[in-house]
Amino acid sequence: MDKKVISTVIEQDDEATSEEVKARLRDETQSIIDALTAPAYVAALRAVKAAPVEKRLLEATKRLTPEALRREGVNLPEGMRISSRYFESDLPKPLELGDLPDGRPNPLIKLSVSNPGLLDDLRANNPAALAALLSDSHTNLGNVTELPMVRFGGCHCGGGTLPGIGGTACGGAGYYL
Amino acid sequence: METPYPGLEFGPAELAAVMRGIYDELIEFATTPAFQSMYFELMSLPTKDRFAFVLDVVLSPEERRRRGVEPPDGILIQTSAFGDRRPTLFVIKKFLPQRYHTAWENLNITFDNHYDDKSVSRDPGMAWRPPLPVALQGAVMSGGVDLDSLPNDIGVGSALFELPEIRSVEP
């Protein structure tokens, strides 16, 4: 059993009305917004992005931690987590970026270099086209060595389990590393 | 007019107002009865079966439509992986307008498998590991294997970065 999973039960908040749940969620997310918009937090994000590529994770461990940000005066509610994060598409098939098994270059890599943002745009606006694009590719994400293909960043999550819905509010990937 | 962030064209109040609007949209969607019904259907399953449900239903526009779950324009439903390897399932997310990507890029509400907070490390070196490929993470979760048992150098883009020092392997 995964040691992180300790419960299979979630309880729906049947007592609260929909408007009460929404009001609680607004309160929880407002504390996230207050933290994310703090000038010291934005400055820390930009400092990490400005570091040499290979050093960015190291910089993040120094600047983008709850302790470091609190030292800079950012008001972070208790329980906040700040972590690297990688998003995949909203498709059932993973985004795959490695070379193809027969040695042919992966067209996704070419597209990521020649048309930055295209894959994200397709993901948002034309998922069927992206699905077709992904249908002939191969996964090898650990060995990707060029920044445009990595596309992961940081994520700030807090608020614990959101009342009435069970999720956690996050401000994500302010800047891809 | 407020003082902008150094080097940027906007300031905290403007950014906060935009974020407020986006979170309100995410909250509105997450509290619809159809979304809630799909979410509780997911969480009623054994933990090992949940990632498969995410792939088969939560990420499937057809299955969502069948359940009346229709994300508004601009709200994405995605999978993701965290460097701290918390057992996450899926996320609803919306991008901020491009103007603000020099600060933050998106806001989201994330839905995890339940976990003991103490079991997920807060060590910065653990939190900033390259995240695992999502398909791998899902397979490992479904197999009931501890995500922390996987090596750090198989994370996404791990060949690109100097990996952080981990002060403690204990959560």
Side-chain angles (χ1 to χ4, degrees), chain A residues 1-13 18-19 21-22 25-27 29-43 45-46 53-58 60-62 64-67 79-94 120 123-124 139 141-147 149-157 161-162 164-177, chain B residues 5-8 12 15-16 19-20 23-24 27-28 30-31 36 39-40 43-47 50 55 59-61 64 76-88 90-91 93 95 100-122 124-135 141 144-148 153-165 169 171:
Chain A
M1 172 62 73
D2 186 332
K3 70 176 181 178
K4 293 184 174 65
V5 180
I6 60 165
S7 171
T8 60
V9 177
I10 181 164
E11 294 179 1
Q12 193 160 6
D13 187 351
S18 172
E19 289 311 309
V21 167
K22 287 176 188 173
L25 291 171
R26 280 184 59 89
D27 288 346
T29 51
Q30 189 59 47
S31 68
I32 303 282
I33 291 170
D34 292 345
L36 299 182
T37 56
Y41 203 149
V42 172
L45 279 179
R46 290 169 59 76
V53 171
E54 67 277 10
K55 300 286 187 189
R56 288 181 191 167
L57 284 181
L58 301 180
T61 65
K62 296 172 189 166
L64 296 177
T65 71
E67 297 75 19
M80 292 284 168
R81 286 186 177 275
I82 303 173
S83 170
S84 52
R85 186 174 195 181
Y86 167 69
F87 285 102
E88 281 206 322
S89 75
D90 53 340
L91 297 167
K93 195 169 189 312
D120 284 338
R123 185 178 304 146
T139 186
L141 286 166
N143 290 325
V144 170
T145 55
E146 293 183 54
L147 193 61
M149 277 73 78
V150 173
R151 298 288 292 161
F152 77 80
C155 198
H156 169 121
C157 293
T161 301
L162 293 175
I165 66 165
T168 301
C170 300
Y175 226 126
Y176 282 116
L177 294 176
Chain B
Y5 295 109
L8 299 180
L15 179 59
M19 287 181 157
R20 182 68 269 159
Y23 259 135
D24 286 347
I27 289 168
E28 199 63 38
T31 53
Q36 287 282 281
Y39 175 65
F40 285 105
M43 299 309 281
S44 71
L45 298 172
T47 54
R50 291 177 184 167
L55 295 181
L59 298 185
S60 163
R64 291 199 305 251
L76 303 174
I77 301 182
Q78 298 186 316
T79 49
S80 70
F82 290 97
D84 63 16
R85 298 192 184 172
R86 78 193 76 157
T88 193
F90 76 99
V91 54
K93 165 178 144 181
F95 286 102
Y100 305 103
H101 289 195
T102 44
W104 290 93
E105 190 211 57
N106 73 77
L107 294 175
N108 58 81
I109 295 176
T110 300
F111 298 87
D112 297 330
N113 255 329
H114 297 300
Y115 60 91
D116 180 352
D117 188 68
K118 292 186 178 67
S119 74
V120 175
S121 177
R122 293 177 181 275
M126 298 280 268
W128 283 96
R129 286 175 290 184
L132 296 171
V134 171
M141 271 199 296
V145 176
D146 180 3
L147 290 166
D148 274 334
D153 61 2
I154 62 170
V156 176
S158 55
L160 183 60
F161 301 103
E162 291 180 25
L163 300 185
E165 179 185 354
V169 296

